[in-house]
Amino acid sequence: MDFSLIVLVVIVAALAFDFTNGFHDTANAMATSIATGALKPRIAVAISAVLNLVGAFLSIEVAKTISGGIVDDTKVTPVVIFAGLVGAIIWNLVTWLVGLPSSSSHALFGGLIGATWIASGADAVHFGKVVEKVLIPAVASPIVAGIVALVGTFLTYRITSKAKEGVVRSSFKTGQVLSASLVSLAHGTNDAQKTMGVITLTLIAGGTLAPGSNPPLWVIFACGLAIALGTYLGGWRIIQTMGKKLTEIQTPQGFAAETSSAAVILASSHLGFALSTTHVTSGGVIGSGLGRKLAEVRWGVAGKMVIAWVLTLPAAAIVGAVAAAISTRGSWGTVVVGAVGVLVALGIWLTSRRNPVTAENINDEPEAAQPAPVAA
């Protein structure tokens, strides 16, 4: 396969991943606002899409971590990057199908690590950077966001305990519009950059850019647009899990969860930590549930999410490794991997149509989330 053609294929695949990242992670910003009624579903995803695009232009620190930190750019080829992207896309779609808010970021890292390891050896993966920039933030960020949200929720209810319920609800609905918008902006500064880093890494590997280069302006715009389009479609299945299945959310809780999440994400983007916005916002939602008296956190759902978090990086790495083992055998291998990836994606989408979750039924109470009746 012509070298310039494979570079183009990788860029298209990277933007496809960015698109799945958008609809997979819409819940991070808007699930709580939709659940409380602060924003109507279609308006929420439209606001989130625009702010994701804007956020993509605010920082490139995370993109630099991806393009020159996780793997050795001198030992990576566009074919290897393509294989890693296939692993990430497939895992994103599988977890979207079952409504689990797993990490698109860790799916990307796992796919790249697995593909690079198989194709170029373990020394081509910077495991020290993986631990410092990925694994430590993965553990710390949901805990920090959860604690901040817990304290914020507790203080919010204490401060407003004597206010009229209707006034509190309407005031925090307005506050949620602002806090959810801030999370969307923060998401653009973090997640859109990951695809920028992948495309920049591809251009470096292809000789178009010098090692250590920053993402070109057209890459920033293309990645911001792809994630915005995916966001606008709305990952309704995951929004339902975050907004309805994890805990019952009132407007003060939603405001506390979103504000804590935005603060953690923006701080990490400034420091170049490629953390999972899914982990952060999930931690914020759980913390807000613990911070409200008598609120119920459904630990069974939370447990399934944690299992998905733990499995994401190794599962995507395995798929990326298999894809790399096939695609590096020649042009036919790359074609086979691409064709299988498209067929798997199509199969997942067709399966999802059997039980659709849309903007119209997003706030319906899922049967699994119904609380058990309390004995008299």
Side-chain angles (χ1 to χ4, degrees):
M1 185 178 291
D2 181 76
F3 194 76
S4 59
L5 178 59
I6 188 58
V7 169
L8 179 61
V9 168
V10 174
I11 291 173
V12 171
L15 294 176
F17 166 79
D18 209 23
F19 181 83
T20 66
N21 191 349
F23 73 72
H24 198 282
D25 287 5
T26 309
N28 296 346
M30 291 300 173
T32 54
S33 295
I34 292 172
T36 61
L39 286 168
K40 293 182 177 180
R42 293 291 183 190
I43 294 175
V45 296
I47 293 173
S48 187
V50 172
L51 291 174
N52 263 311
L53 177 59
V54 173
F57 288 88
L58 297 184
S59 174
I60 59 169
E61 291 304 314
V62 174
K64 287 159 67 177
T65 296
I66 303 297
S67 63
I70 302 298
V71 296
D72 188 341
D73 55 26
T74 64
K75 297 181 179 180
V76 174
T77 66
V79 171
V80 173
I81 297 171
F82 174 71
L85 286 167
V86 170
I89 291 170
I90 289 177
W91 183 255
N92 260 3
L93 293 175
V94 168
T95 50
W96 164 77
L97 178 64
V98 296
L100 280 177
S102 68
S103 171
S104 297
S105 306
H106 289 185
L108 177 61
F109 301 146
L112 286 175
I113 290 169
T116 302
W117 195 339
I118 288 297
S120 304
D123 60 342
V125 180
H126 297 157
F127 288 103
K129 284 288 185 181
V130 172
V131 172
E132 175 192 353
K133 297 288 189 178
V134 179
L135 296 184
I136 292 177
V139 175
S141 59
I143 296 173
V144 172
I147 292 172
V148 173
L150 187 156
V151 174
T153 301
F154 176 78
L155 292 176
T156 297
Y157 278 101
R158 286 294 299 270
I159 293 169
T160 60
S161 60
K162 296 183 180 180
K164 293 182 178 180
E165 183 178 343
V167 174
V168 172
R169 187 186 305 113
S170 61
S171 298
F172 277 104
K173 275 188 176 181
T174 302
Q176 270 200 278
V177 174
L178 298 176
S179 59
S181 298
L182 186 59
V183 175
S184 294
L185 189 70
H187 184 265
T189 68
N190 201 283
D191 277 45
Q193 287 190 60
K194 292 158 189 170
T195 308
M196 293 178 209
V198 170
I199 294 178
T200 303
L201 180 60
T202 303
L203 296 174
I204 291 172
T208 304
L209 292 177
S213 296
N214 292 336
L217 182 60
W218 70 266
V219 171
I220 297 174
F221 178 78
C223 292
L225 184 61
I227 202 169
L229 289 173
T231 300
Y232 182 70
L233 284 183
W236 306 116
R237 292 171 179 274
I238 299 175
I239 290 174
Q240 188 179 68
T241 298
M242 290 278 282
K244 284 292 182 182
K245 294 183 179 181
L246 194 53
T247 185
E248 288 300 317
I249 296 176
Q250 297 179 353
T251 51
Q253 289 172 267
F255 177 77
E258 291 160 357
T259 303
S260 65
S261 299
V264 173
I265 295 168
L266 286 171
S268 68
S269 297
H270 177 71
L271 295 172
F273 291 128
L275 55 70
S276 166
T277 55
T278 301
H279 291 190
V280 173
T281 53
S282 299
V285 171
I286 292 173
S288 72
L290 294 173
R292 177 167 72 91
K293 187 178 181 180
L294 302 180
E296 176 191 8
V297 175
R298 299 183 180 104
W299 294 109
V301 176
K304 291 178 182 178
M305 288 168 49
V306 172
I307 291 172
W309 295 355
V310 173
L311 291 178
T312 292
L313 199 148
I318 290 170
V319 178
V322 172
I326 298 172
S327 61
T328 53
R329 292 179 179 272
S331 298
W332 66 269
T334 305
V335 172
V336 167
V337 169
V340 170
V342 171
L343 289 175
V344 170
L346 180 60
I348 291 173
W349 180 78
L350 290 174
T351 302
S352 74
R353 306 318 301 157
R354 298 177 183 175
N355 182 29
V357 180
T358 66
E360 286 66 41
N361 65 6
I362 186 67
N363 277 334
D364 293 349
E365 190 72 21
E367 291 184 12
Q370 293 281 6
V374 178

